């Protein structure tokens, strides 16, 4: 094996030396804290996540949803949160469909929810 410096490797390959540093728990705690900053803020729920086919569910999103609160955070964005879709939140926060359903679905709260309620559901997913 030939040893090369990072500069030498950069000449032949793109090297990404930055890696996310937050654990799953830290990412979820950060999300909950963002939601708790404005506990009475009304957020948009996603309609019928449990009834959608997986490809459709993965692209679901809503302006002003709990997921969009996370996406606007520069820290979570830098950690790798790519957009505010259901599928991306599931991947980034390492949640099951059941856990994310509890956080964002309208069947529990109607069309809107208070941010504090979403925060409680995020904290429950840490468990």
């Amino acid at each position: 094996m030939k040893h090369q410096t990072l500069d030498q490797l950069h000449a032949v390959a793109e090297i990404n030396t930055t890696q996310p540093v937050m654990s799953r728990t830290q990412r979820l705690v950060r999300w909950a804290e963002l939601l708790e900053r404005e506990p009475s803020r009304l957020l948009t729920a996603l309609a019928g996540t449990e009834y959608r086919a997986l490809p459709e569910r993965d692209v679901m999103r809503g302006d002003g949803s709990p997921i969009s609160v996370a996406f606007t955070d520069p820290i979570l964005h830098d950690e790798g949160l790519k957009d505010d879709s259901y599928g991306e939140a599931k991947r980034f926060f390492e949640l099951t469909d059941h856990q994310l359903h509890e956080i964002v679905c309208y069947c529990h709260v109607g069309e809107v929810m208070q941010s504090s309620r979403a925060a409680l559901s995020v904290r429950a997913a840490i468990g």
Side-chain angles (χ1 to χ4, degrees):
M1 175 166 62
K2 182 179 176 184
H3 293 280
Q4 296 180 323
T5 68
L6 276 178
D7 289 335
Q8 292 170 324
L9 290 173
H10 278 291
V12 295
E14 183 176 318
I15 309 278
N16 182 1
T17 57
T18 60
Q19 296 180 3
V21 295
M22 295 175 85
S23 69
R24 174 188 184 270
T25 298
Q26 290 170 321
R27 292 189 306 268
L28 287 167
V29 166
R30 175 76 181 172
W31 187 13
E33 289 171 345
L34 293 168
L35 292 165
E36 291 164 345
R37 287 181 182 173
E38 296 179 66
S40 298
R41 178 180 176 185
L42 295 180
L43 301 173
T44 305
L46 301 181
T49 62
E50 72 273 35
Y51 300 117
R52 309 290 175 112
L54 189 57
E56 186 181 357
R57 185 183 322 141
D58 280 348
V59 297
M60 289 178 75
R61 61 163 306 281
D63 291 335
S65 74
I67 301 168
S68 68
V69 171
F71 182 60
T72 61
D73 180 53
I75 293 173
L76 294 178
H77 190 266
D78 288 349
E79 283 292 311
L81 184 60
K82 297 174 186 169
D83 62 41
D84 64 350
S85 68
Y86 180 98
E88 178 60 9
K90 182 178 166 184
R91 179 202 68 81
F92 179 75
F93 292 108
E94 300 177 46
L95 296 168
T96 65
D97 282 306
H98 177 75
Q99 289 170 320
L100 192 51
H101 168 85
E102 291 293 323
I103 297 166
V104 302
C105 191
Y106 82 116
C107 69
H108 302 289
V109 294
E111 292 181 15
V112 295
M113 69 183 83
Q114 286 192 326
S115 188
S116 59
R117 189 261 180 218
L120 287 172
S121 296
V122 170
R123 289 196 182 278
I126 294 170

